[in-house]
Amino acid sequence: MSLSNANLTYADLTGADLTGAHLTRAQLTGAQLTGAENLRAEQVVDAVIDSTTELPSDLAGHPAVKARIAEVEGSH
C-alpha cells in the first residue's frame, strides 16, 4: 500500500495495519500512531515526523527515528 506523499497530519491511525506501507514523504506530524499495527522504524524514517507525532514506545526511542525527528525539526 502506498501512502507516499499523503497528508496524514493529525490523523488517528489507531488500529491501522501498516504492514508494508510506503510512507515516503507522508506528512505524519501530529499523527496518532501508538495503536498502529506492524509499523517499522524503516517506514517511519521515510515520513515527515516531528515531536508531535505520537509513536509506539518501541519506535519513539529508536535511534533512526529520533534522528529523523531532529532532522525534520531542524529544517523548519
Side-chain angles (χ1 to χ4, degrees):
M1 147 179 44
S2 179
L3 295 173
S4 295
N5 298 306
N7 184 352
L8 298 170
T9 303
Y10 296 106
D12 183 353
L13 298 173
T14 302
D17 184 353
L18 297 175
T19 301
H22 299 277
L23 299 174
T24 305
R25 294 180 303 279
Q27 295 289 331
L28 293 173
T29 53
Q32 170 59 262
L33 297 169
T34 55
E37 299 175 10
N38 303 309
L39 182 62
R40 301 178 50 127
E42 294 81 10
Q43 295 166 286
V44 173
V45 298
D46 288 339
V48 179
I49 57 174
D50 65 9
S51 57
T52 67
T53 305
E54 297 186 38
L55 296 163
S57 59
D58 61 320
L59 294 181
H62 191 285
V65 173
K66 291 169 81 172
R68 179 62 175 154
I69 291 170
E71 176 186 2
V72 169
E73 290 184 340
S75 69
H76 287 109

